[in-house]
Amino acid sequence: MSRIERTAEGAGPFTTRLTWRLGDGGTAVWESRLARKRGLLTVRAAGEPKARSRRADSVSVGRLRRLNAIAASAFAVGGGLFASGAAVAQFGTGGATGAWIYFVGGLFFNTGGFASLLQAVNAPRQDNGIGTLAARRWRWWSYEPGRIDWLSTFVLFVGTLVFGINLLSSLLQGLSVQQVNRLVWAPDMVGCTLFLVSGHLALVEVCHGRPGIRPRDLGWWIVAVNQLGSVLFLGAALAAFTRPATGSLVNIDIANWGTLAGALCFSAGGVLQYFERP
């Protein structure tokens, strides 16, 4: 059967929701996040008053469930470790202990970012007209910048890698002020910016266009909480700049508290993500 697309919604070059007419006269609706996270699309048969969800095949659903559990766990634990590192820096002796806690937390963020990308790479796709999601063979990588879900998760993963440079550099001893700003602070700012870009794309995806408020949508809450965490991380990074003249941070309290609050947001987002699964 041929598929006739009736409407396409999204922003710019990205499509986040497609509605098309099926060969039997019914309609099917594919939503990017719903298909990627839950393996579902919405189908309304001809003459039926209500739409119903149609699930992807069991192999695809199993993949999505496992990848979701890995990503959710990684962000929940990674966020908790970042919060612990910030607490040590604010209330304890800080130093190497806090830096190592941050570093281990960063590894969990790397894991969560890559699992999220794999979920986009291996998400089932809409078929050619019979109103089901088609399975795909497993892949470890793809290049699909025209898909907003792929681009959002790819930018997120790259952001976690840049944070890794920042966290690894923070373990080095004897750095000058210029080296600290170049090797620690600059990657921190780049990573925060990438997190914000990824979060904005995720908001566009879940809102099918201009970001708005959708309090009844679990996916929106997850994205919004994570985006708040990204904003707090950026504020903390700005406050962590080391003044060349004095060798002191702009505001160490804002840097630590901003990191702690932002990390708790990502940890909460990870917990919420447990429930956004097939």
Side-chain angles (χ1 to χ4, degrees):
M1 299 179 193
S2 62
R3 184 185 73 187
I4 303 175
E5 295 182 4
R6 301 301 299 273
T7 59
E9 301 171 66
F14 304 114
T15 299
T16 63
R17 179 161 56 196
L18 284 173
T19 302
W20 69 89
R21 187 174 297 279
L22 302 175
D24 60 1
T27 59
V29 179
W30 167 88
E31 295 185 35
S32 174
R33 190 175 182 94
L34 187 65
R36 171 167 60 94
K37 291 290 188 178
R38 297 180 181 270
L40 297 174
L41 56 73
T42 305
V43 177
R44 177 179 292 170
E48 286 188 356
K50 293 183 179 181
R52 51 189 171 84
S53 296
R54 183 172 292 177
R55 179 174 292 184
D57 62 286
S58 59
V59 173
S60 297
V61 168
R63 288 174 181 170
L64 297 182
R65 188 181 289 271
R66 288 190 295 272
L67 289 170
N68 181 76
I70 293 171
S73 300
F75 282 119
V77 175
L81 287 171
F82 260 66
S84 298
V88 169
Q90 181 66 22
F91 303 111
T93 57
T97 301
W100 277 107
I101 294 174
Y102 278 135
F103 181 74
V104 176
L107 295 179
F108 278 95
F109 269 70
N110 294 152
T111 302
F114 188 55
S116 298
L117 178 60
L118 285 178
Q119 199 171 33
V121 168
N122 293 287
R125 310 297 170 85
Q126 70 271 23
D127 63 12
N128 292 323
I130 58 176
T132 60
L133 289 171
R136 309 190 71 198
R137 66 179 181 84
W138 174 264
R139 293 187 297 173
W140 288 100
W141 169 251
S142 69
Y143 182 71
E144 303 173 86
R147 290 176 50 208
I148 194 170
D149 54 343
W150 183 92
L151 189 60
S152 175
T153 53
F154 175 74
V155 172
L156 174 68
F157 178 54
V158 173
T160 67
L161 295 179
V162 176
F163 272 133
I165 298 173
N166 151 262
L167 297 170
L168 185 61
S169 299
S170 67
L171 297 175
L172 301 177
Q173 301 294 319
L175 297 178
S176 66
V177 172
Q178 291 75 17
Q179 289 174 323
V180 168
N181 285 333
R182 184 174 70 251
L183 299 176
V184 179
W185 181 79
D188 192 15
M189 287 295 299
V190 173
C192 290
T193 302
L194 291 174
F195 268 43
L196 283 170
V197 172
S198 172
H200 177 74
L201 291 172
L203 280 172
V204 170
E205 180 189 22
V206 77
C207 294
H208 307 295
R210 181 178 299 177
I213 299 176
R214 301 190 171 216
R216 296 185 179 181
D217 188 335
L218 176 60
W220 180 89
W221 278 106
I222 295 170
V223 173
V225 169
N226 286 337
Q227 189 70 333
L228 175 59
S230 298
V231 172
L232 291 168
F233 273 178
L234 180 62
L238 290 170
F241 179 77
T242 303
R243 296 186 180 96
T246 63
S248 61
L249 273 60
V250 171
N251 192 309
I252 190 171
D253 290 329
I254 292 178
N256 290 333
W257 282 107
T259 301
L260 192 152
L264 290 177
C265 285
F266 277 99
S267 188
V271 173
L272 290 175
Q273 190 174 330
Y274 278 112
F275 303 97
E276 192 186 27
R277 63 183 186 272

